[in-house]
Amino acid sequence: MRNYDIVATLPSNGKEVFKVRSQGTDYILKVYSDEQSADKEVGFVTKVAMTGYAPKVVEREGNRALFEYIEGDNFNDVFRLATMTDDTQTMEMLASRLSIFLQMMYSFSDCVMKKIDFNNFLVKDGRVIGVDFSGVDDGMPYEDLASAIVFALCNSVGEYYSCFPFVQKLLECFKLSMMDVINEVKLKLENASKKMKESIDVEILIDSLANFDEKGVDWRKLI
């Protein structure tokens, strides 16, 4: 593997991730816990990169892999700012672009992300690009849809209803109703609540989501 200098250490779960520089060019270096983990993500990214929705794999050696560095906006940062400023247009754009990415994933590979974390996506030139595929596995699209809804609810700035335009547009793009994914959303909300500093009243939130229709959730129950 080529020589490089570490520019920054990036947050990640299950592996070490660095922004590195070699001969004036920036890359992303991932150091996995073992070669099997490296095989899984590198193999998948190699395929998805051909669609333009993932960084290209530059080289691989043992449990280390070097990826193309893509300059873009962190999806979660853009999402949180949009919920803070009630920027409906941006929320709907993010939902639309994320749905394209997720449906491309499934049609291209029959796999899903399994656990959606908006920090694992970049927004560049109106496209959502995935930068972490370590959790990819067999599954159904509604699992990722439910996961995205839960992440949005738990990470919007302000009240839960701040992300309503995002949730509504995401469901619309998948041509599904909230009731189609309500059980999966409840399960993921319960799991998320266990890990949060502030507990979520899951039953009240699910009750409101269950009444989700064209007019939206009755968010008054949550305030």
Side-chain angles (χ1 to χ4, degrees):
M1 184 171 283
R2 67 192 67 190
N3 295 323
Y4 54 80
D5 295 316
I6 295 177
V7 176
T9 300
L10 306 178
S12 180
N13 293 321
K15 56 182 174 291
E16 296 178 283
V17 180
F18 307 94
K19 179 181 178 182
V20 301
R21 186 166 296 146
S22 178
Q23 297 182 343
T25 301
D26 290 338
Y27 302 95
I28 293 296
L29 172 69
K30 295 187 180 184
V31 182
Y32 300 86
S33 57
D34 52 59
E35 291 192 29
Q36 184 177 5
S37 298
D39 287 340
K40 179 182 178 181
E41 184 166 20
V42 169
F44 194 84
V45 172
T46 299
K47 295 177 182 178
V48 178
M50 293 188 292
T51 68
Y53 286 94
K56 296 176 182 177
V57 180
V58 178
E59 56 184 337
R60 155 85 184 285
E61 184 179 286
N63 68 329
R64 297 186 299 164
L66 204 62
F67 296 84
E68 169 191 18
Y69 175 74
I70 297 176
E71 190 75 49
D73 297 317
N74 178 280
F75 188 104
N76 196 39
D77 291 344
V78 179
F79 169 79
R80 287 177 61 81
L81 179 61
T83 61
M84 182 173 66
T85 58
D86 294 324
D87 186 348
T88 298
Q89 184 176 0
T90 295
M91 279 189 270
E92 291 182 344
M93 180 277 291
L94 290 174
S96 176
R97 299 301 185 270
L98 180 61
S99 73
I100 291 172
F101 173 90
L102 295 175
Q103 293 181 68
M104 176 281 302
M105 279 270 299
Y106 189 74
S107 62
F108 184 74
S109 65
D110 290 332
C111 290
V112 295
M113 300 294 283
K114 297 299 283 188
K115 182 179 180 180
I116 298 294
D117 182 335
F118 291 172
N119 290 297
N120 291 333
F121 300 96
L122 295 176
V123 181
K124 180 178 175 63
D125 299 330
R127 172 179 290 201
V128 167
I129 299 171
V131 295
D132 189 323
F133 295 84
S134 54
V136 167
D137 209 340
D138 294 336
M140 297 296 291
Y142 74 87
E143 296 178 71
D144 278 353
L145 173 58
S147 185
I149 290 171
V150 170
F151 194 93
L153 290 169
C154 295
N155 290 274
S156 62
V157 177
E159 304 293 344
Y160 294 115
Y161 60 78
S162 299
C163 69
F164 164 65
F166 176 89
V167 174
Q168 184 182 41
K169 186 64 175 180
L170 198 59
L171 286 166
E172 178 185 315
C173 290
F174 274 85
K175 294 181 172 58
L176 292 173
S177 70
M178 179 61 74
M179 291 308 296
D180 290 324
V181 295
I182 196 70
N183 290 331
E184 190 73 14
V185 168
K186 181 179 181 180
L187 177 63
K188 292 183 184 298
L189 269 174
E190 289 172 341
N191 291 334
S193 180
K194 296 174 184 177
K195 301 174 183 178
M196 296 180 68
K197 294 180 180 179
E198 297 182 7
S199 61
I200 303 173
D201 193 327
V202 175
E203 293 302 324
I204 291 180
L205 183 51
I206 287 297
D207 180 55
S208 286
L209 292 173
N211 295 316
F212 197 105
D213 57 23
E214 289 80 4
K215 297 181 181 179
V217 172
D218 182 3
W219 295 107
R220 292 170 297 178
K221 295 182 179 180
L222 306 176
I223 302 174

